[in-house]
Amino acid sequence: MSTTVTADRSVTKNLFAKDTLGNDFKAPDYSIKDVLSAIPKKCYKRSVPTSFFYVFRDIACILTFGFIATNTIPLIGNQYLRGVAWLAYGILQSLPYTGIWVMAHECGHQAFSDYGWLNDTVGWVLHSYLLVPYFSWKYSHGKHHKATGHLTRDMVFVPPTVEQFKERRNVISLSELAADTPISTFKELLIQQLGGWVWYLLTDVTGQPHPQYKTFLSQFKASHFNPKSPIFEKRDYWFVVLSDIGMLTQFYVLYEWYQHFGAFNVLVHWFIPYIFTNHWLVFITFLQHSDVSLPHYEDKEWNFARGAAATIDREFGFVGSFFFHDIIETHVLHHYVSRIPFYNAREGTKAIKEVMGEHYVHSDENMWLTLWKSGRYCQFVEGDGIKMFRNVNGLGVPPTSK
């Protein structure tokens, strides 16, 4: 799934807009060639032993956490405290689970090794364990990388335009809408964080709209599990089927797990970590592409260099660097060159920052605070050429639409 980069399209130079907080935003005018030429050649080197080391390290963490939990939590006398301990264990276990998810993501981008067959084999096994359709998501995710920040071609977390927002709220003008309450925002974020990933796989929610599927049941035709889904090309058909076989294989593994060890064992050692792994994925990706400072582009003003810059690097401390393999801290570079392995991405990021200058977006704000802020501020986009986030909550720059 390495992204093929061609020469940047011609776009308007010196293009400005106001971001959500009223700060001046200038669209990048450098070329993709400028960025790529700054990256040291050694950053592209992929090592099979190094990549496998991180896979086995994640698996070792999973086994170690499981061993400690199994031998300590049952000793807790109070059943309520024991329940809290199992939940805490499930959340902790979701961290290395997310790690192996990220390593499968490396495989999909061909950043794991120089061998396509090895990348796809490892990625298929790791993603299938977490009920992710490897090839299906690889193809849709590849399209996301090729059109990041493009309003009509991007594939995930595509914000509604003001017109689409009004249509969803079933109003003719924004003036008909009252501000969302904090409770409403909290509810929406909770649904997004705990169920958003599965719903995305099932219906392509947050992707491009599919107006041909208007009923509740028909929207499942856009599923990542449907080989004939509009998100795929005809050539992808049998790879989507292979992804579905991976899902069925994992369901069989879970069935055997249940038969031999019982439902509770599956619940605490797989299902709860799986739920929170899904949360981390949405948490990470939503905040990589939804921020008060980030633009989205209409076709006439989009090119690859601008789209790749329409994302943000954040800081998530030890968890981000150790368990999540720097997927949060080096995401901008990842959008410029997705085949660079994560363990070389810090050096690559340092190099491209010199070219990007003010256009390199980084934040060390607490990510939980940012999640809340993005939920409140980032409801829809408006503008000409460059579209920036706006909201009906009276926060930041008011929308020009009425």
Side-chain angles (χ1 to χ4, degrees), residues 157 285-292 294 296 312 314 370 374 378 389:
F157 287 118
T285 54
F286 176 65
L287 293 182
Q288 285 168 340
H289 300 285
S290 304
D291 187 83
V292 294
L294 295 181
H296 287 76
I312 185 170
R314 301 187 185 277
T370 306
S374 293
C378 303
F389 281 109

Side-chain angles (χ1 to χ4, degrees), residues 319-373:
V319 170
S321 60
F322 184 86
F323 286 110
F324 296 170
H325 305 306
D326 278 341
I327 196 172
I328 297 172
E329 291 79 1
T330 61
H331 194 68
V332 176
L333 173 76
H334 177 66
H335 268 275
Y336 277 110
V337 192
S338 58
R339 68 182 181 277
I340 289 179
F342 80 89
Y343 42 81
N344 294 334
R346 293 259 182 178
E347 183 175 358
T349 295
K350 182 179 179 180
I352 68 169
K353 284 169 64 175
E354 298 181 9
V355 176
M356 295 181 68
E358 63 178 325
H359 303 292
Y360 171 75
V361 187
H362 172 273
S363 174
D364 57 5
E365 182 179 64
N366 182 285
M367 287 184 66
W368 297 104
L369 174 60
T370 306
L371 177 66
W372 177 254
K373 183 185 293 185

Side-chain angles (χ1 to χ4, degrees), residues 86-96 272-273 276 280:
W86 279 120
L87 178 61
Y89 158 71
I91 296 173
L92 178 65
Q93 192 69 287
S94 72
L95 302 181
I272 294 177
F276 281 96
W280 291 121

Side-chain angles (χ1 to χ4, degrees), residues 3 105 109 141-148 154 304 334-335 338:
T3 303
H105 167 258
H109 281 293
H141 187 62
K143 291 181 178 180
H144 159 62
H145 270 261
K146 291 176 182 177
T148 306
D154 202 351
F304 188 87
H334 177 66
H335 268 275
S338 58

Side-chain angles (χ1 to χ4, degrees), residues 51-80:
S51 295
F52 268 117
F53 164 77
Y54 286 106
V55 171
F56 291 132
R57 190 193 71 178
D58 291 336
I59 294 173
C61 287
I62 291 170
L63 295 176
T64 301
F65 292 165
F67 177 81
I68 294 173
T70 301
N71 287 278
T72 59
I73 295 178
L75 302 179
I76 299 175
N78 185 286
Q79 63 176 336
Y80 299 107

Side-chain angles (χ1 to χ4, degrees), residues 269-287:
H269 292 297
W270 186 87
F271 186 73
I272 294 177
Y274 165 76
I275 292 297
F276 281 96
T277 297
N278 292 348
H279 147 67
W280 291 121
L281 300 177
V282 177
F283 178 75
I284 291 167
T285 54
F286 176 65
L287 293 182

